[in-house]
Amino acid sequence: MKILITGGAGFIGGNFVHYMTKEHPEYEILVLDKLTYAGNLETLAPVMDRIKFVKGDIADREAVFGLFKAENPDIVVNFAAESHVDRSIEDPGIFLRTNIIGTQTLMDACREFGIKRYHQVSTDEVYGDLPLDRPDMFFTEETPLHTSSPYSASKASADLLVQAYYRTYNLPVTISRCSNNYGPYHFPEKLIPLMIANALNDKPLPVYGKGENIRDWLYVEDHCKAIDLIIHKGREGEVYNIGGHNEMRNIDIVKLICKELNKPESLITYVTDRKGHDLRYAIDPQKIHSELGWLPETKFEDGIKKTIKWYLNNRSWWEPIITGEYIDYYEKMYGNR
Ligand code: NAD
Ligand code: DAU
């Protein structure tokens, strides 16, 4: 079995490559990644002798078709994306190109060369948000798509295309929509790694608005397990929500990080809210549980400790990232906030 993992030098894709090398040692693993600011070959260094890495853009038709012709993969799992909501608010264009045109290009290649399964890694953000005062409400696979940011709109557009390719061309597809992930190799522009890195450097911890927005956090390895199950046992044409009923307010996460690192809460700084900020995400994972037997295994209390320990022990991974271009990004996003 040959599996093509796009975006495999990013956070979740990288963790998935590690996971698949362990769980399926007999598989040939091919990674296609453009190595944008979010891609890092250091993430793949521990498994580089087990995989084949190709640098390339999923929206580059010639490159993608050339790769499929040469490699003929059996399964494609598409993690490649522009993934940061704040960047999409600043500059939506690249989100449309990578997340929509890139998905179309990959699926066209799948049609041309044949494939056993195309899996689209999507997000719970396609459902929009839930009110803070309705803890009884959850996203199910039937919740209408209702997006808030250019990022989520681009991901929802891609999902619609995937479903269109299933209906029109019978392409054997599946889609997963997961809640917020955390864990090792997470780029320090996102809440948890940004707060860990800043706290370790005694820098202000910028909380948007009042910090009351809620996210449903899942340890990244649990997401990887779910995708492994879906690509092997999931039903073609189906959507599976992935999440572990672990809702937390942003401010509580930041306070927990301060506590774990023995840093004062006085580092917390409330800054101007994100435009169009989604209030609450919460996944109902009943379908993947009943159909595929998936349940999250890592409790948040353990996962966050493991994650913080990883950042403490792997400064050589993240310290070089928060230099150069990242400093300009940080100044632009947080300088006058
Ligand atoms: P990430 O930003 O850490 O990594 C994205 C990877 O894709 C990088 O390695 C980057 O170099 C690569 N890439 C970007 N544009 C590319 C292109 N045009 N061609 C080839 N490679 C390209 O993202 P992530 O957090 O690991 O997210 C991975 C996927 O999971 C995304 O599709 C995202 O929408 C989805 N997702 C993320 C979360 C989360 O909490 N992070 C939750 C649910 C779903
Ligand atoms: O739900 C899945 C989504 O989770 C994925 O599709 C996205 O790719 C991923 O980036 C993530 O989106 P969020 O916008 O929820 O994640 P982020 O880490 O950017 O922000 C989490 C919450 O923390 C959100 O309410 C905004 C807030 N926040 C974020 C940053 C970076 C802050 O308060 N301060 C910050 O500096």
Side-chain angles (χ1 to χ4, degrees):
M1 192 67 82
K2 189 184 277 190
I3 180 163
L4 170 61
I5 301 173
T6 67
F11 165 47
I12 309 176
N15 276 281
F16 187 70
V17 173
H18 286 242
Y19 179 84
M20 293 302 276
T21 58
K22 271 188 289 173
E23 290 301 309
H24 302 282
E26 72 287 8
Y27 279 20
E28 274 182 72
I29 295 176
L30 181 62
V31 173
L32 173 65
D33 196 295
K34 187 179 169 187
L35 295 180
T36 67
Y37 78 91
N40 189 345
L41 279 182
E42 286 302 312
T43 299
L44 294 175
V47 290
M48 209 41 125
D49 58 342
R50 262 286 288 120
I51 66 169
K52 180 166 177 186
F53 180 83
V54 177
K55 185 175 177 205
D57 183 345
I58 58 164
D60 177 343
R61 214 170 172 83
E62 213 182 305
V64 168
F65 275 60
L67 183 67
F68 272 70
K69 191 169 183 205
E71 297 287 348
N72 222 346
D74 299 294
I75 300 176
V76 175
V77 183
N78 180 26
F79 291 92
E82 289 293 335
S83 70
H84 193 33
V85 173
D86 292 327
R87 288 186 193 253
S88 82
I89 294 167
E90 291 299 308
D91 183 12
I94 186 68
F95 284 74
L96 273 56
R97 179 180 149 81
T98 289
N99 299 359
I100 306 173
I101 304 298
T103 299
Q104 180 219 349
T105 307
L106 284 172
M107 290 194 299
D108 282 345
C110 290
R111 285 183 61 213
E112 174 82 17
F113 295 96
I115 199 88
K116 293 193 174 76
R117 176 62 61 87
Y118 173 85
H119 182 73
Q120 177 73 359
V121 180
S122 186
T123 168
D124 60 357
E125 295 202 17
V126 298
Y127 299 122
D129 62 354
L130 296 164
L132 290 176
D133 60 357
R134 287 293 305 274
D136 56 314
M137 288 176 77
F138 297 93
F139 296 138
T140 72
E141 289 79 0
E142 274 69 51
T143 302
L145 304 190
H146 184 79
T147 55
S148 311
S149 69
Y151 162 70
S152 57
S154 69
K155 294 294 289 185
S157 306
D159 284 13
L160 292 174
L161 267 179
V162 175
Q163 288 172 321
Y165 273 55
Y166 173 66
R167 168 92 185 235
T168 308
Y169 307 117
N170 294 320
L171 193 72
V173 304
T174 36
I175 297 175
S176 53
R177 297 182 179 145
C178 190
S179 59
N180 287 64
N181 285 215
Y182 69 101
Y185 303 110
H186 203 179
F187 192 88
E189 66 185 348
K190 308 281 168 61
L191 180 77
I192 289 182
L194 183 143
M195 296 299 167
I196 296 174
N198 280 17
L200 285 171
N201 288 331
D202 298 307
K203 283 180 59 182
L205 308 177
V207 171
Y208 299 167
K210 293 184 184 155
E212 287 170 353
N213 302 57
I214 290 174
R215 296 293 182 265
D216 184 358
W217 294 94
L218 183 73
Y219 192 63
V220 63
E221 198 174 50
D222 281 323
H223 187 184
C224 296
K225 280 182 194 159
I227 294 175
D228 186 17
L229 275 173
I230 295 169
I231 59 178
H232 292 104
K233 298 191 178 142
R235 287 183 293 138
E236 279 176 23
E238 292 293 313
V239 173
Y240 293 90
N241 282 355
I242 309 171
H245 283 303
N246 182 58
E247 290 176 53
M248 294 192 62
R249 295 191 313 164
N250 295 338
I251 187 65
D252 297 327
I253 300 238
V254 178
K255 286 183 177 171
L256 181 65
I257 290 170
C258 289
K259 187 165 161 246
E260 289 293 329
L261 290 173
N262 207 14
K263 296 287 180 181
E265 286 184 11
S266 56
L267 285 176
I268 295 173
T269 319
Y270 293 92
V271 300
T272 307
D273 210 350
R274 173 184 281 173
K275 290 189 181 95
H277 199 171
D278 280 338
L279 294 172
R280 170 176 167 250
Y281 302 147
I283 284 277
D284 174 356
Q286 184 52 36
K287 179 174 174 181
I288 188 166
H289 175 54
S290 59
E291 275 192 26
L292 305 180
W294 178 87
L295 276 176
E297 288 170 24
T298 302
K299 289 197 196 107
F300 189 76
E301 308 88 88
D302 302 329
I304 193 74
K305 285 199 176 96
K306 267 205 273 188
T307 303
I308 290 174
K309 197 168 164 200
W310 188 88
Y311 279 86
L312 283 167
N313 293 337
N314 290 276
R315 283 175 178 270
S316 60
W317 183 85
W318 60 271
E319 278 180 343
I321 294 176
I322 59 168
T323 58
E325 213 182 280
Y326 181 88
I327 295 175
D328 299 338
Y329 164 80
Y330 201 90
E331 185 51 33
K332 184 172 164 204
M333 303 303 258
Y334 297 94
N336 280 320
R337 199 157 182 157

